[in-house]
């Protein structure tokens, strides 16, 4: 399944965007749980246009710069809605290189393993701090206006889940380090 397709459709459902805007979204809020590179985004945009799910208009920025401003078509809205309503099984294909290393940890020396886990713990704590900062900014900007119908609601839910994920990961890393002693 081309999940990137649905990420782009969802972004365009919120507002018209350029390819640059879409790529920036993957470095921002979407980047907390999904990644895509320019080399993936632009070919996907071409496919979506060819499939009639999105369209674009060429706009001029400044004196000469032409940009494509993408928007959803009626067919794109229907495709997005159908995907949103589809019930999926739990995705078990998540790739986590650290967990792969952990699976083979017996191949390491104990001190190397502790260093690996300590490094991951520090990284996860930094990530948790960053997520907390983003949540504080979101709550400061929107406060009690974050309701189900607001575009920020989904970001709020994903952000609070990411925070819980990092807290759980940190607890597991701390317990694992203690167990290594």
């Amino acid at each position: 399944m081309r999940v990137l397709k649905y990420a782009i459709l969802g972004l365009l459902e919120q507002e018209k965007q350029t390819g640059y805007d879409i790529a920036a979204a993957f470095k921002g809020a979407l980047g907390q749980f999904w990644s895509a590179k320019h080399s993936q985004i632009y070919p996907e945009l071409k496919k979506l246009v060819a499939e009639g799910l999105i369209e674009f208009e060429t706009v001029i920025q400044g004196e000469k710069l032409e940009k494509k401003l993408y928007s959803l078509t009626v067919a794109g809205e229907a495709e997005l809605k159908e995907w949103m309503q589809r019930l999926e099984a739990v995705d078990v294909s998540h790739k986590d290189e650290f967990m792969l290393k952990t699976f083979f940890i017996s191949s390491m020396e104990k001190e190397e393993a502790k260093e690996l886990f300590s490094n991951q713990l520090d990284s996860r704590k930094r990530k948790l701090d960053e997520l907390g900062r983003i949540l504080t900014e979101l709550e400061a900007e929107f406060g009690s206006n974050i309701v189900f119908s607001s575009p920020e609601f989904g970001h709020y839910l994903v952000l609070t889940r990411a925070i819980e994920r990092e807290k759980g990961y940190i607890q597991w890393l701390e317990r694992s380090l203690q167990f290594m002693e």
Side-chain angles (χ1 to χ4, degrees), residues 106-144:
S106 62
S107 299
M108 301 178 84
E109 296 295 324
K110 186 176 185 179
E111 290 307 312
E112 292 172 326
K114 287 167 56 176
E115 183 178 338
L116 178 70
F117 270 65
S118 293
N119 183 6
Q120 185 72 197
L121 179 60
D122 291 343
S123 295
R124 294 289 177 164
K125 285 180 176 180
R126 284 192 303 275
K127 180 71 170 177
L128 180 60
D129 289 344
E130 174 67 11
L131 293 170
R133 184 190 60 74
I134 294 168
L135 179 61
T136 299
E137 289 174 3
L138 186 67
E139 290 174 334
E141 184 174 351
F142 298 102
S144 61

Side-chain angles (χ1 to χ4, degrees), residues 24-41:
F26 285 99
K27 291 180 182 170
L30 281 180
Q32 299 301 323
F33 60 93
W34 202 265
S35 65
K37 300 173 185 164
H38 280 82
S39 61
Q40 296 170 296
I41 294 168

